Amino acid sequence: MAITKSRRLELRTDQSTDELITEAAELLHVTKSAFVTDAARQAAQKVISRSEVTLMAPEVFDVMMASLDVPDESTELAALSKLPRLIGR
């Protein structure tokens, strides 16, 4: 099924960038619109993928993981855990 293209994206650029895009599109035998759309899609996917990953030093990761095994001292949570359950099993 063909995708209906109904959105329009306009941009301003300098002559050298326009010529560069034109040359690249011609080398790939695609339109400038298809070339720019594909490049923008790839860049957007890369940015989104990076935002979904948290990078940290191994030492920081080890400290974080070890902290998960240490319970917090919270009198409020202890009190809440002793309340009767509203939902039975």
Side-chain angles (χ1 to χ4, degrees):
M1 183 171 140
I3 297 174
T4 303
K5 297 178 182 177
S6 61
R7 300 290 187 161
R8 183 172 186 83
L9 176 66
E10 295 184 29
L11 63 97
R12 293 193 178 277
T13 188
D14 58 77
Q15 182 178 348
S16 65
T17 301
D18 184 53
E19 291 169 356
L20 187 67
I21 293 169
T22 301
E23 182 179 353
E26 288 173 354
L27 287 169
L28 292 176
H29 305 289
V30 297
T31 64
K32 285 171 53 174
S33 180
F35 180 83
V36 171
T37 299
D38 187 53
R41 179 182 289 113
Q42 287 180 30
Q45 288 172 334
K46 187 175 182 179
V47 168
I48 292 168
S49 292
R50 285 182 179 170
S51 74
E52 295 172 349
V53 175
T54 301
L55 299 176
M56 63 182 72
E59 302 81 26
V60 174
F61 179 79
D62 292 341
V63 169
M64 181 190 75
M65 293 305 290
S67 74
L68 295 175
D69 294 329
V70 178
D72 290 335
E73 295 298 325
S74 173
T75 55
E76 294 88 1
L77 285 177
L80 287 172
S81 70
K82 293 177 182 174
L83 290 175
R85 292 178 186 238
L86 299 176
I87 300 173
R89 294 184 183 198

